[in-house]
Amino acid sequence: MGFSWESHYEDGDWDRGAYVGGDDMADHLDGFLDHAARGERDPVESLASVGCGPAAAEFAVAERRPDVDVHCYDAAPAVVDANRVKADEEGLENVSFDVAALPDTGIDRTFDVVYCMAVLYFVRDATATLRELWRLTAPGGHLVLTYPNRNMQSWAQGLDETDHDKRDAFSLVAAGENLLSYDRIHDVLGAHPRNYWTAVDADPDAEYVQRTGSPAVYLRKPE
Ligand SMILES: C[S@@+](CC[C@H](N)C(=O)[O-])C[C@H]1O[C@@H](n2cnc3c(N)ncnc32)[C@H](O)[C@@H]1O
């Protein structure tokens, strides 16, 4: 059987951290909301995280910014449930969690910022996924994502039996079924991807910034 995120979360053997960038990701996301604001009089009011997982950065941003509505989605009900419990325990009223799966989330609204970090590797139809995330992005809003490219394919192909779970989880990437590039994203969405790490002033020497296999980019949707 292949890797199952639901089983992973049900097993309970997971940490509440961001999969890429760790503890730095809360500051980066917080900084990006300033970057995405259209002047002081037009701040970001809504953020969606798709494939939120443990939502470490999202929880932190919801706490720091009570005026921002943070909507988090994941395909795995077990992590959605665990996140709801945590939000209740902490009395956070501006963050919500729901089950939704790419590439057809069924979400019927748009958001000022759509954030999809370390998720596209696991979804087969990359084109449909990009279009869905763009549909969720409000005109004038921003989409942030990481995506698998050919360098990540080489890495995934190098995983051996000792990395059994990882090899299963990244099998679409290894098979080259969902790879993307700057040019391909531009062709599908008609907007230019830009470097997320530069926008949030990340340390250029950080390990996650140096990685070449899974670029982090953002795109602004025209008004
Ligand atoms: C590597 S984790 C990343 C979690 C979080 N975004 C982060 O950066 O820490 C990938 C997440 O994507 C979710 N996921 C996998 N396939 C998905 C899909 N088709 N639609 C939505 N979420 C999905 C998994 O359940 C998992 O929580």
Side-chain angles (χ1 to χ4, degrees), residues 5 9 17-19 51-53 74-76 100-102 117-119 122-123:
W5 279 103
Y9 291 122
Y19 283 82
C52 64
D74 200 281
L102 290 164
M117 200 50 75
V119 182
F122 313 111
V123 190

Side-chain angles (χ1 to χ4, degrees), residues 3-6 8-9 15-22 25 49-58 73-77 79-80 83 99-105 115-124 129 146 170:
F3 180 84
S4 155
W5 279 103
E6 178 64 358
H8 166 74
Y9 291 122
D15 295 326
R16 197 171 280 285
Y19 283 82
V20 173
M25 295 306 266
S49 173
V50 185
C52 64
E58 294 84 336
Y73 304 92
D74 200 281
V79 78
V80 168
N83 288 342
V99 175
L102 290 164
D104 186 7
T105 63
Y115 183 73
C116 188
M117 200 50 75
V119 182
L120 266 65
Y121 328 136
F122 313 111
V123 190
R124 186 180 301 275
T129 298
T146 55
F170 289 90

